[in-house]
Amino acid sequence: MFFAALGLTAAALLAVVVWLVAAAYLLQARADAERVAAAERRNVGLALASQIDAALAQADDALLTMRRVWREGGRDAFRNEDLARAAMRRGVEAFDQLVLFDPDGRISYTTPLGFGAWGLAADVEHFSVHRRQPPIDELHFGRPFFGRVAHRWHMQITRPLIDADGRFAGVIAASVRPERFAELHRGVELGDGGVIAVIRETGEYVARTDRHDEVVGRPAPLKPLADLGGGDEGEILVQPKVDGVERAYSWRKVRGAPLYLFVGQPVAQILGPVDTLQRKVYIWLGGLTLVSAGLAAALTNAALQRGRAVAALRASENRFRGMFENSNAGIAFTGPGGRFIEVNDAFVKMMRCSRGELLQKTVADYTHPDDMTLEAPMFDELLRGVRREYRIEKRSLPKGGGMLWLDVSVSAVRDGDGRVRMLVGAVVDVTDRKTKEAALAASNAELEQFGYVASHDLRQPLRMVISYLTLLEKRIGPDLVGEPLEFLNYARNGARRMEHMLVSLLEYSRVGRHGEPMAAHDARELLGEAIGFLGPDIELCGATISVAGEWPRIVASRDEMVRLFQN
């Protein structure tokens, strides 16, 4: 009996040990499956978020360029302005139509792209959100809406138009079809039931890889997004009402936009192999006589599952590599010290060197020294966690000489302790826009100088002509009759009309003009110069001007003070 009891005890202990080992191994297999799936979702989310960010940056760049054209020449400048056409060419892959709204919400100009046609937009969200005084210059992403004319969904990306006095002057909008966000996800394989969705911060679907037409514009079951716990990325488990499938989602906030990207996989798909393994282990453990064989089979099966999980992770990394290399925007990964870790082909082409050469260099080696000084404080704040990202337009010095203007967005990837593991930069070449902006600024400066000279310098001789014509009329007096008097009036009226036109031209040339530098002047000397200009008027009126006392020295613009005394 003793040996029987001992045998039973040993068998029971063996069974307990086997059950404990099997349970621990199954838990580890479940954790491994979840970890591999989460890594795959995060890799896909990072790549897609970079593509969305680049597309939105392209659309915003087009909006800003079109707005500059409007500021310089009004809506008519769009029809012949090379800069406007270049902006539309750059944005054609990001949006379907550009629309210019006046301050009352009426369309004053629209590009021929797309089929959307809107009426009065004064009460529409993407217009009314900017209608404030003073306006706030910020990018706005409107809610998806169904166009009754085009019979399809749209979403407006807008910026306010602000005139030279800082007042609200309308809205410029880029119309984007929400399915374009879904098109960015083509070629991404997440298995049966995998879902990629883009959701606004306010909770509405923008795009979804499956059932897009059913859910676009509708509230997502993930609302409110504040329940995600803050931060820029994370994991969440959801069973939506759309199809009732429970999924594990990896979510990521899109930089610079109120959008969230969700990459989801069915929980059943992730844990299906583990559940199958678990059922097999329970069957194998049904009898103590098969404990050893069952445990060996379970361990072997678990090892195979782990091997498949590792293979799946490698496949995910390969997919990420494909999207990374095929991106139109330059993408670079660097260490905290700025040394390049990995770059894609687009960035290599920008720097005009080989990938191997780049990986031996740092960001500072390709950045203009003046811009490096400007970027250094933002870079330091990013490393210290003061900011999550930053964006800067800076000059780059590629291999072989020359200079490029780049629009660079930089964010940090941190470990669980908050330490920076690496930095991710998305780079867009904006050299063409910067060159045309400089040419436009030089042309405006020449026009401004011409207007000032033509109006200010010619006004004084013209005023003397008017004054002496009046004196001539008074001196001749009653003898000036008939045609001579008529001719004199014609000359004087024409001179006054010319003076009025010159005054208007002078005022126009002063818009945005800084004038000559401030300097110290004798106030009495400036007054004397003004009295000299007014000599004919003083003689005509028979006025006497007395100047007495000591006048101070003042710091001012000489021309502006003389004009002040004259007026």
Side-chain angles (χ1 to χ4, degrees):
M1 292 292 295
F2 172 80
F3 289 102
L6 183 60
L8 290 174
T9 302
L13 290 174
L14 180 59
V16 170
V17 170
V18 170
W19 275 97
L20 290 176
V21 171
Y25 209 93
L26 288 172
L27 288 175
Q28 182 62 44
R30 180 179 292 267
D32 288 344
E34 292 174 342
R35 177 180 59 81
V36 170
E40 180 180 6
R41 294 194 302 270
R42 285 194 295 270
N43 286 340
V44 171
L46 179 61
L48 294 179
S50 297
Q51 291 191 35
I52 292 175
D53 182 63
L56 294 179
Q58 187 181 23
D60 190 28
D61 180 55
L63 286 179
L64 291 173
T65 301
M66 295 292 282
R67 188 172 69 177
R68 291 188 189 97
V69 174
W70 170 83
R71 284 177 174 169
E72 297 299 336
R75 64 184 178 87
D76 291 335
F78 292 163
R79 304 186 183 280
N80 300 308
E81 179 60 48
D82 289 341
L83 187 58
R85 290 197 297 270
M88 287 185 282
R89 284 197 300 271
R90 284 202 301 275
V92 73
E93 295 180 1
F95 55 80
D96 300 296
Q97 189 176 33
L98 276 173
V99 180
L100 189 72
F101 295 94
D102 66 16
D104 297 321
R106 292 184 295 269
I107 296 176
S108 60
Y109 175 76
T110 177
T111 64
L113 301 178
F115 303 96
W118 310 290
L120 190 65
D123 298 326
V124 179
E125 178 215 21
H126 56 260
F127 180 89
S128 61
V129 72
H130 295 294
R131 195 174 191 175
R132 63 185 75 172
Q133 294 291 356
I136 299 176
D137 189 10
E138 60 184 8
L139 194 66
H140 175 71
F141 295 78
R143 292 187 176 89
F145 67 94
F146 189 77
R148 288 175 291 181
V149 176
H151 297 290
R152 64 185 181 192
W153 287 89
H154 297 273
M155 187 173 75
Q156 301 297 331
I157 302 177
T158 60
R159 274 192 180 273
L161 296 176
I162 304 173
D163 63 19
D165 296 325
R167 295 190 301 265
F168 174 74
V171 170
I172 186 164
S175 178
V176 180
R177 288 185 288 113
E179 56 263 36
R180 282 195 176 237
F181 291 99
E183 292 170 359
L184 292 174
H185 309 150
R186 288 179 178 174
V188 178
E189 294 293 336
L190 293 173
D192 294 336
V195 169
I196 298 174
V198 179
I199 299 174
R200 287 184 84 230
E201 198 171 50
T202 50
E204 300 87 0
Y205 273 113
V206 173
R208 180 172 163 137
T209 50
D210 69 332
R211 303 172 182 266
H212 173 80
D213 294 335
E214 296 179 22
V215 302
V216 62
R218 290 174 48 189
L222 303 173
K223 185 181 178 182
L225 296 174
D227 294 341
L228 296 177
D232 293 332
E233 61 180 348
E235 305 287 331
I236 189 173
L237 194 66
V238 177
Q239 185 170 357
K241 297 179 181 179
V242 176
D243 55 9
V245 177
E246 185 182 37
R247 291 182 177 87
Y249 285 89
S250 293
W251 59 271
R252 175 179 294 274
K253 192 177 186 303
V254 177
R255 291 196 306 269
L259 301 175
Y260 284 83
L261 178 67
F262 288 81
V263 181
Q265 293 175 293
V267 174
Q269 175 187 323
I270 298 171
L271 300 180
V274 178
D275 291 338
T276 301
L277 172 63
Q278 179 174 292
R279 287 192 297 270
K280 290 180 179 179
V281 170
Y282 289 164
I283 294 173
W284 290 331
L285 293 178
L288 289 178
T289 57
L290 300 176
V291 168
S292 297
L295 181 58
L299 294 176
T300 302
N301 199 20
L304 291 174
Q305 294 295 334
R306 265 194 153 177
R308 293 191 187 100
V310 172
L313 181 58
R314 290 200 186 102
S316 173
E317 291 174 349
N318 291 335
R319 287 193 293 268
F320 170 74
R321 170 64 62 179
M323 289 184 287
F324 170 75
E325 290 295 347
N326 295 326
S327 174
N328 292 327
I331 301 176
F333 294 86
T334 71
R339 181 173 294 276
F340 290 108
I341 298 173
E342 186 59 276
V343 294
N344 69 347
D345 289 343
F347 188 76
V348 170
K349 291 178 182 177
M350 288 182 191
M351 297 299 105
R352 304 170 192 164
C353 61
S354 67
R355 191 185 305 269
E357 289 177 291
L358 271 174
L359 298 184
Q360 300 299 318
K361 302 288 186 178
T362 66
V363 174
D365 294 327
Y366 293 94
T367 300
H368 193 283
D370 294 342
D371 291 340
M372 198 67 199
T373 303
L374 180 65
E375 185 179 7
M378 294 185 286
F379 184 81
D380 181 63
E381 290 177 356
L382 183 66
L383 292 180
R384 292 188 288 111
V386 176
R387 61 167 71 207
R388 294 192 299 268
E389 72 216 359
Y390 68 85
R391 182 175 178 180
I392 185 174
E393 287 188 353
K394 65 178 184 179
R395 292 163 289 180
S396 179
L397 305 174
K399 182 180 178 181
M403 185 182 73
L404 296 176
W405 274 98
L406 302 179
D407 185 336
V408 182
S409 298
V410 183
S411 59
V413 177
R414 303 178 186 273
D415 58 20
D417 297 327
R419 292 189 296 263
V420 175
R421 292 175 51 202
M422 63 180 176
L423 302 172
V424 182
V427 184
V428 178
D429 186 349
V430 294
T431 305
D432 182 62
R433 171 169 64 82
K434 284 290 186 178
T435 301
K436 291 181 179 178
E437 285 178 353
L440 186 61
S443 174
N444 288 342
E446 292 175 1
L447 289 175
E448 177 185 309
Q449 183 62 26
F450 170 77
Y452 179 77
V453 171
S455 58
H456 180 269
D457 293 357
L458 296 179
R459 187 183 175 197
Q460 292 303 328
L462 190 61
R463 292 177 66 181
M464 294 182 66
V465 170
I466 295 173
S467 298
Y468 280 106
L469 285 174
T470 304
L471 287 173
L472 180 63
E473 181 183 12
K474 286 193 172 185
R475 292 286 175 88
I476 297 176
D479 296 334
L480 190 64
V481 296
E483 283 190 347
L485 178 60
E486 183 180 359
F487 294 158
L488 180 63
N489 288 333
Y490 283 154
R492 183 169 50 198
N493 292 337
R496 285 174 177 168
R497 285 196 299 272
M498 178 64 73
E499 182 186 29
H500 178 72
M501 287 188 290
L502 288 176
V503 169
S504 300
L505 183 58
L506 177 61
E507 293 302 322
Y508 180 78
S509 71
R510 290 174 182 166
V511 175
R513 187 172 182 270
H514 297 293
E516 64 177 352
M518 307 281 277
H521 300 284
D522 187 321
R524 186 160 184 166
E525 179 184 340
L526 299 179
L527 177 61
E529 184 176 343
I531 292 174
F533 284 131
L534 296 174
D537 292 336
I538 295 172
E539 182 180 351
L540 178 64
C541 298
T544 301
I545 299 178
S546 299
V547 181
E550 295 185 2
W551 286 58
R553 290 183 65 80
I554 59 175
V555 176
S557 167
R558 183 182 189 89
D559 287 345
E560 295 294 335
M561 287 303 300
V562 170
R563 281 198 294 271
L564 177 63
F565 285 136
Q566 283 182 248
N567 295 324

